[in-house]
Amino acid sequence: MEKNELIPHLFRTEYSKITAVLCKLFGFEHIEIAEDLASDTFLSASETWSLKGLPENPVAWLYTVAKNKAKNYLRHESVFQKKVAAQLKYSAAATDHTPEIDLSDQNIQDSQLQMMFAICHPAIIAEAQIGLALRILCGFGIEEIADAFLSNKETITKRLQRAKDKLRAEQIKIEFPGPADIHKRLETVLRTLYLLFNEGYYSASHNSSIRKDLCLEAMRLTSLLLAHEATNTPAVHALLALMSFQSSRFDARVNPAGEMVLYDDQDTSLWNQELILQGEAFLHTASQGSALTKYHLEAGIAYWHTIKADTPEKWNFILQFYNHLLQMEYSPVTALNRTYALSKAQGKPAAITEALKLNLSGLHLYHVLLGELYTGIDNAKAMACFETALELAVAPADHKVIRQKMERCR
Amino acid sequence: MKDFLFVYRVDASTMANRSPEEMQANTQRWMDWIGSIAAQNKLGDRGNRLYPTGKVVKPNQVVTDGPYTELKESLGGYSIVKAASLDEAAELAKGCPVLEVGGNVEVREINAM
């Protein structure tokens, strides 16, 4: 890897590790110090490496510099020393009264996992949890986060600041929850990881490389949970199965011009078979035991989408998963998807009857669905539905998809 | 939105004589129907099925086994739906699969305590 690519790459992977370890040591109230020390480390790296060339082991170099900077900081900041260092547990070896900074793989993993539980705390709203996770756990820059959320740097900075303030105000500790809380807390963590993945997968952002990174990071963080017995649960396996199946279509769903390719039009030879197999393995382990979460159901739906051929059997399975999912948790999009599956399993007339009961006429996607259902049955009605959808849709990408459907209807 | 109780009644003897295929098809019809209510965001609680056996406790310490399988209208299960009115709730009940096998749905508004 060239140097000008290497630093951003390392930043993404190592910034979050250094921050997590330092923050775990200092406590959440001093997260900015941890972030500054990590950023400073990368500043030194880019200066030194451009003068002297790349060190033999860049990661080890970064860790050594980060450790030294942290120790220096602890020595020289007298205020910090009195207030914080006094509370730190000193390792016996650290005779100069600065704590050992442990950047071993194990401690990095533990710190990131504990940080994940701190960030995904029920006291913080979901949107802020995702932002914090991207910044602190994934090392995303403010600009990248703003791009993923279709927002601007200022808004994101404020949102992250508010979330950090909240974490401090609630005095949330960076630690692994106790046995009594773990189940509930894990639910929140999984929901955030699920939303983080969806943010990447369904985001309207045009930057497809950032979107892919978002999904990969969500998968990496979810995988961290497998390493601990208390968090190695069927729900985690089900979520990983879902993520694997969805990301198997990454290369097929965007064309070289960066535009979305609809499922029906995708080149299946671009589907990643390795990820599909990985998803099947996770779904298999997720199915052991009696736990049935919404991730199981969504993974089941996603599994059937890895089989392109339309059979009534396939769509009937998908319909039953949607039926079940809706009983667990209603959402307008699930209701629309269920109606689409019904049309494939039982025919368009039955689905039209059901669609008309949904009471979702404020959503452009509702009119897109109705238009699809009427196509081939009553094309004039279908066109009218697509027209309404065009009026309601805001994003240019949505307009494009609707126009494509109108073309097919003519 | 108000909550309504759906009580499903059916001739239990017709239920006992079904083939596994019929039972599976029946389960699917129920899932599709409940799924349809859920898709309208009107499902309060899917509820449960009830086993046909039971006991009835009467005054003076009298407890009888319910020979419910002989009853024409055996209590088979219940659900809770959300609807604006009794009429709307009754409308939702019209698609219930129990009707196809000669059963009925009693719709009652829940008077929360």
Side-chain angles (χ1 to χ4, degrees):
Chain A
M1 204 178 290
E2 291 296 313
K3 190 169 64 202
N4 53 357
E5 284 173 35
L6 184 69
I7 290 187
H9 173 78
L10 284 176
F11 191 89
R12 179 66 64 69
T13 55
E14 304 306 322
Y15 172 88
S16 60
K17 294 179 184 172
I18 295 170
T19 307
V21 167
L22 294 182
C23 191
K24 159 83 184 141
L25 194 67
F26 299 164
F28 210 97
E29 55 272 38
H30 301 290
I31 178 143
E32 275 89 2
I33 297 170
E35 289 185 303
D36 284 349
L37 288 170
S39 301
D40 233 28
T41 302
F42 280 93
L43 197 65
S44 301
S46 69
E47 283 171 5
T48 312
W49 297 356
S50 67
L51 287 173
K52 298 184 180 170
L54 277 182
E56 210 162 287
N57 184 343
V59 173
W61 191 98
L62 287 171
Y63 289 177
T64 308
V65 171
K67 276 183 199 174
N68 289 339
K69 283 189 190 290
K71 282 184 182 172
N72 253 339
Y73 186 87
L74 290 171
R75 279 195 206 101
H76 293 115
E77 287 297 308
S78 58
V79 180
F80 189 76
Q81 182 85 324
K82 277 179 202 139
K83 281 192 177 165
V84 186
Q87 296 162 18
L88 296 175
K89 287 180 191 147
Y90 300 153
S91 93
T95 46
D96 60 351
H97 289 262
T98 51
E100 228 8 81
I101 292 152
D102 177 3
L103 280 159
S104 64
D105 284 353
Q106 187 61 46
N107 193 45
I108 286 171
Q109 268 205 14
D110 287 351
S111 302
Q112 285 196 312
L113 195 61
Q114 291 169 11
M115 187 64 109
M116 191 147 78
F117 274 97
I119 287 171
C120 303
H121 193 276
I124 317 275
I125 60 164
E127 206 177 40
Q129 289 179 4
I130 298 172
L132 277 182
L134 283 174
R135 180 72 191 133
I136 299 171
L137 294 172
C138 310
F140 274 49
I142 302 291
E143 205 160 324
E144 293 171 308
I145 301 174
D147 190 28
F149 282 107
L150 292 182
S151 184
N152 55 54
K153 282 172 82 169
E154 204 174 48
T155 308
I156 297 296
T157 307
K158 276 187 194 155
R159 189 189 293 168
L160 293 182
Q161 194 54 51
R162 272 199 302 272
K164 286 181 195 167
D165 291 345
K166 180 83 179 164
L167 276 168
R168 275 189 280 254
E170 299 278 334
Q171 299 191 317
I172 289 160
K173 294 206 164 52
I174 303 171
E175 62 189 10
F176 205 68
D181 295 336
I182 187 79
H183 185 73
K184 268 250 148 302
R185 295 289 303 279
L186 182 59
E187 264 179 31
T188 317
V189 169
L190 290 184
R191 200 198 51 202
T192 305
L193 294 170
Y194 168 82
L195 292 174
L196 178 60
F197 184 89
N198 283 356
E199 193 62 44
Y201 204 74
Y202 299 107
S203 156
S205 167
H206 287 297
N207 190 331
S208 62
S209 75
I210 282 195
R211 298 178 43 178
K212 193 170 175 177
D213 282 350
L214 233 72
C215 293
L216 292 177
E217 280 296 314
M219 285 178 87
R220 179 182 70 82
L221 293 174
T222 311
S223 307
L224 286 181
L225 295 165
L226 298 177
H228 287 255
E229 204 189 335
T231 55
N232 187 10
T233 66
V236 175
H237 286 253
L239 181 56
L240 278 167
L242 170 63
M243 290 171 167
S244 308
F245 290 139
Q246 298 290 67
S247 31
S248 73
R249 289 193 296 280
F250 253 128
D251 296 333
R253 65 204 286 273
V254 180
N255 68 16
E259 296 163 335
M260 284 299 288
V261 181
L262 296 178
Y263 177 80
D264 281 335
D265 304 331
Q266 287 173 10
D267 174 359
T268 51
S269 70
L270 293 175
W271 291 0
N272 184 324
Q273 291 304 318
E274 210 173 305
L275 280 168
I276 292 175
L277 287 175
Q278 178 184 310
E280 285 173 6
F282 277 126
L283 192 56
H284 181 74
T285 47
S287 313
Q288 285 160 5
S290 58
L292 183 68
T293 63
K294 73 171 195 157
Y295 308 118
H296 285 84
L297 297 168
E298 290 204 32
I301 293 165
Y303 163 74
W304 280 102
H305 278 89
T306 64
I307 299 162
K308 186 79 178 271
D310 266 357
T311 58
E313 185 203 24
K314 163 181 164 175
W315 286 102
N316 206 19
F317 272 111
I318 294 176
L319 173 63
Q320 294 314 322
F321 284 131
Y322 276 125
N323 281 338
H324 218 120
L325 195 56
L326 279 162
Q327 292 169 40
M328 234 177 235
E329 187 178 273
Y330 170 83
S331 93
V333 171
T334 315
L336 293 173
N337 286 337
R338 184 243 175 209
T339 311
Y340 181 75
L342 186 78
S343 80
K344 290 287 204 174
Q346 296 176 15
K348 286 184 169 182
I352 290 171
T353 311
E354 286 295 304
L356 294 172
K357 295 179 189 168
L358 292 182
N359 197 20
L360 293 173
S361 55
L363 297 179
H364 83 270
L365 286 174
Y366 170 75
H367 298 280
V368 172
L369 172 70
L370 258 191
E372 292 241 332
L373 296 179
Y374 278 123
T375 301
I377 288 186
D378 184 339
N379 281 357
K381 250 187 188 159
M383 287 301 275
C385 293
F386 289 135
E387 291 287 354
T388 313
L390 270 183
E391 280 167 32
L392 289 170
V394 182
D398 292 332
H399 280 240
K400 194 159 182 282
V401 169
I402 297 166
R403 291 223 163 80
Q404 278 173 3
K405 290 183 190 290
M406 290 172 100
E407 276 307 310
R408 286 177 198 182
C409 186
R410 281 205 176 90
Chain B
M1 285 288 191
K2 299 168 187 165
D3 286 338
F4 294 86
L5 181 71
F6 280 8
V7 179
Y8 310 117
R9 288 202 174 80
V10 68
D11 182 346
S13 61
T14 63
M15 307 300 282
N17 300 327
R18 290 174 309 172
S19 69
E21 290 77 23
E22 282 171 334
M23 276 167 66
Q24 204 196 338
N26 186 57
T27 302
Q28 187 165 328
R29 276 199 297 278
W30 274 93
M31 284 296 288
D32 287 346
W33 178 63
I34 292 278
S36 162
I37 295 173
Q40 298 168 58
N41 201 13
K42 288 177 182 167
L43 188 68
D45 184 333
R46 172 171 81 169
N48 281 298
R49 289 175 295 202
L50 299 174
Y51 286 114
T53 50
K55 287 181 188 291
V56 178
V57 180
K58 292 175 178 169
N60 304 319
Q61 312 283 320
V62 178
V63 179
T64 58
D65 285 341
Y68 297 114
T69 44
E70 290 167 23
L71 281 181
K72 280 275 172 268
E73 293 192 342
S74 172
L75 191 56
Y78 63 92
S79 304
I80 293 171
V81 303
K82 297 179 284 180
S85 65
L86 184 56
D87 285 342
E88 190 192 310
E91 197 61 37
L92 287 172
K94 281 182 182 170
C96 181
V98 83
L99 306 173
E100 293 166 31
V101 290
N104 65 56
V105 186
E106 183 173 334
V107 183
R108 301 283 294 269
E109 184 175 341
I110 291 173
N111 185 357
M113 285 199 283

